[in-house]
Amino acid sequence: MLPESLKRWWGPLALITVAALLLRLPGLAFGLPLQTHPDEPQVLAVAVNAADGLLSPHFFAYGAVFPYLSGLVIRLYTLVAWSGDFRAFFDLYCEDPSEAILVVRACSAALGAGAVALTGLLGERLGGRATGLLAAAVLAVDVLAVRDAHFATVDTCTMFLAVAALLAMAHQRWVVAGLLVGLAAGTKYPAVLLVLPLLFAGRRAPLALGAAALAFFLSNPFVLLDFSTFQSDLAREAARRTATAPEEYPSAAWWYYLCTSLPWALGWPGLAALVGGGALALRRRSLALLPAALFALATFALISTFVTCADRYLLPAHPVFAVFIGLGLSRLPWAVLLVLPPMVWGSVTVDRLLRLPDTRQVAGEWLAANLPEGSSVALEWAYVPVVDPERVSVSPLTYDETSGWVVMSSYAFNRYHQHPAAYGRELRFIAGLPEPVATFYGLPAERALDWVERVPPGPMDQRAVQGPQIRVFRLGDTPGP
């Protein structure tokens, strides 16, 4: 039996973790059988190949830890649900990836809930039990953490490993921390910034850094075995972050994260509590908080140099933000009533939106029913419905088409209109298009659920579909339905 004092700690932490998991499970089937998140197909392909024993990812835009872990989970899942018949599962995956996507998304949701528990432990270690419970509660309803835990992507796994590494550092388990740092960097490369707080290990720093390097290369062996591809992919990713036309992102990235991303995920009251917690730590001169703060600040500084902005880039630092918010709230418990309700509302809104049908599903059904067999269809680079390539001829949109069908989404044409200097060619093509044959609207109007950037929390209107606006055009004398 646990002592009463421990029950008062572990019991609430367990309840918060379960609540976090329950927030992350609804809506996992969003968009299926389409893969509407642009990063999921590659992660899924590497995971299924790993489950089949093919470990070379042939893709190094991010690390292999989460795909390998997902492959192990898929293998275990087939042992239970498919009586060990992986070939039958693989054949189904080739026809319909829905079941495999659900398995990997469920893995991400579990890691998201696990990160909540670890954040509670980190907060307890650095600021006491009240800080730990409040930190866990904050991350449990953090809108960004809830949203991204629904995705079969590397971001939530990176956050889990980052907070695990910081917890090991807080306990001065430096070799364990080094191994976790290597795994975090082997999931998403910017997590290599965790080596900075490893330097607080003093004389054990070389050993901790060696453990980090060992864990990285053991978990990503093809970085060395296929170094040329790794080097090429890494250079391409770096170019995407630094070489995009400056007209496309005229605002400073740090301003976006400070005034848009963090207030959306944490709410303005939460951001105020974060500042208050930071001020309290400075006043106390708490050196124990320094490694976590250093990682969060270094992450913020790094992504502020990118020309592209995405909320998920900051996700690994959100457990640290939760700890500082918990520290601030521990001095003003009544402020919990100001901080948590907006975050709960935003997270519940995300779940409600994810449970709705997607405009790309509805548009895909219309295209299947109305496009004559043998038609030529040009699809935008992303975020559009999937059409049957055996019925119609499919090609990527080149923005010089004069015949056939064209399918576009608001994610692209809104971006073009917002940054005309960077997308003159695309805008000239759009200006010459006829009236769309069909248009499919999602929630909220014109600014639908955006997987790459953010979900605006707030009241939902009466339409029962979410996703980007989809427009279907028929050019020239193309036969119609």
Side-chain angles (χ1 to χ4, degrees), residues 13 58 122 178 325 408 414 417 452:
L13 182 62
H58 304 293
L122 179 63
I325 292 172
M408 298 187 69
N414 283 355
H417 283 292
V452 176

Side-chain angles (χ1 to χ4, degrees), residues 22-31 143 146-147 150 344-358 443-444 449 451 455-467:
L22 293 177
L23 269 177
R24 286 153 175 78
L25 291 178
L28 284 183
F30 72 89
V143 182
V146 170
R147 187 199 69 175
H150 288 82
V344 172
W345 173 249
S347 296
V348 171
T349 299
V350 168
D351 284 348
R352 293 174 65 194
L353 285 170
L354 288 171
R355 291 199 299 270
L356 294 175
D358 191 282
L443 283 172
L449 183 61
W451 308 122
V455 184
M460 298 170 59
D461 65 24
Q462 299 303 309
R463 300 189 193 95
V465 180
Q466 57 85 11

Side-chain angles (χ1 to χ4, degrees), residues 127-320:
R129 290 183 176 178
T131 296
L133 291 177
L134 289 166
V138 167
L139 192 66
V141 295
D142 181 311
V143 182
L144 176 62
V146 170
R147 187 199 69 175
D148 278 35
H150 288 82
F151 301 156
T153 58
V154 301
D155 302 286
T156 297
C157 183
T158 306
M159 177 181 68
F160 174 88
L161 290 168
V163 68
L166 292 171
L167 180 60
M169 294 179 203
H171 285 275
Q172 297 188 349
R173 307 288 186 181
W174 295 108
V175 174
V176 174
L179 293 172
L180 290 166
V181 168
L183 291 176
T187 306
K188 195 167 184 177
Y189 305 132
V192 72
L193 292 174
L194 284 163
V195 302
L196 296 177
L198 276 184
L199 299 178
F200 286 89
R203 288 182 297 178
R204 304 198 69 186
L207 187 60
L209 293 170
L214 179 66
F216 176 83
F217 288 112
L218 286 180
S219 61
N220 288 263
F222 289 91
V223 165
L224 298 176
L225 298 176
D226 191 7
F227 184 73
S228 61
T229 305
F230 166 72
Q231 190 177 36
S232 173
D233 285 359
L234 195 62
R236 182 167 57 251
E237 285 299 301
R240 286 179 57 196
R241 302 291 179 266
T242 59
T244 302
E247 300 91 343
E248 186 174 344
Y249 298 94
S251 300
W254 68 268
W255 184 256
Y256 167 80
Y257 291 113
L258 190 61
C259 296
T260 301
S261 178
L262 285 174
W264 164 70
L266 305 174
W268 284 107
L271 189 58
L274 172 59
V275 174
L280 182 61
L282 286 174
R283 182 181 176 184
R284 291 179 176 178
R285 298 182 180 179
S286 177
L287 295 179
L289 289 161
L290 194 55
L294 177 61
F295 168 66
L297 291 172
T299 299
F300 188 91
L302 174 66
I303 65 175
S304 293
T305 67
F306 296 168
V307 294
T308 54
C309 300
D311 299 310
R312 66 186 185 276
Y313 296 164
L314 195 53
L315 183 62
H318 273 242
V320 179

Side-chain angles (χ1 to χ4, degrees), residues 56-151:
S56 179
H58 304 293
F59 177 79
F60 297 96
Y62 30 72
V65 170
F66 181 66
Y68 284 171
L69 174 63
S70 300
L72 176 61
V73 172
I74 287 173
R75 199 73 195 195
L76 295 173
Y77 172 80
T78 57
L79 285 175
V80 176
W82 288 75
S83 302
D85 191 351
F86 178 79
R87 297 315 321 164
F89 175 87
F90 184 82
D91 291 341
L92 176 63
Y93 160 75
C94 293
E95 295 180 8
D96 180 359
S98 298
E99 190 169 351
I101 294 174
L102 276 174
V103 172
V104 181
R105 287 178 181 172
C107 183
S108 185
L111 288 169
V116 169
L118 292 177
T119 299
L121 295 173
L122 179 63
E124 187 271 341
R125 179 69 178 179
L126 298 179
R129 290 183 176 178
T131 296
L133 291 177
L134 289 166
V138 167
L139 192 66
V141 295
D142 181 311
V143 182
L144 176 62
V146 170
R147 187 199 69 175
D148 278 35
H150 288 82
F151 301 156

